[in-house]
Amino acid sequence: VTGMSPLSPYLNLDPRYLVQDTDEFILPTGANKTRGRFELAFFTIGGCCMTGAAFGALNGLRLGLKETQNMAWSKPRNVQILNMVTRQGALWANTLGSL
């Protein structure tokens, strides 16, 4: 084919087809390009879950240190504190994510 400059002898393709001059996404006819209600809801739910997990972890650390204050620093105490942090973090993340 004359006038074409193929990329390689094995790939006989006009490079003009590879140029991206339009948008990357195909939108339905008449659709606007703003984010929809559900897309924003995913961001909000994720933010609430992360905030709840951070708050619950701090609360679990406080409760774990308070409940094990008469124990010596040892592996059982560390495991107990870690359990409280994990449990409280999951509880608060679930609660705020549901809200």
Side-chain angles (χ1 to χ4, degrees):
V1 179
T2 60
M4 282 201 232
S5 56
L7 297 176
S8 78
Y10 305 109
L11 183 66
N12 192 9
L13 180 73
D14 188 356
R16 287 177 295 185
Y17 291 124
L18 300 177
V19 176
Q20 284 270 216
D21 56 350
T22 58
D23 286 339
E24 193 175 338
F25 301 108
I26 300 172
L27 294 171
T29 309
N32 53 359
K33 294 184 181 183
T34 58
R35 288 182 180 228
R37 189 169 45 185
F38 291 110
E39 270 186 278
L40 294 174
F42 283 124
F43 175 75
T44 307
I45 292 168
C48 286
C49 280
M50 296 302 258
T51 304
F55 179 75
L58 290 174
N59 193 31
L61 182 65
R62 182 184 63 83
L63 287 174
L65 287 173
K66 192 171 88 173
E67 284 187 13
T68 62
Q69 63 187 356
N70 55 359
M71 293 172 69
W73 280 107
S74 60
K75 196 168 186 176
R77 182 179 184 185
N78 292 343
V79 168
Q80 185 91 4
I81 293 172
L82 190 64
N83 283 344
M84 288 296 290
V85 167
T86 307
R87 193 177 302 128
Q88 288 291 314
L91 177 80
W92 280 95
N94 196 5
T95 303
L96 282 184
S98 298
L99 287 177

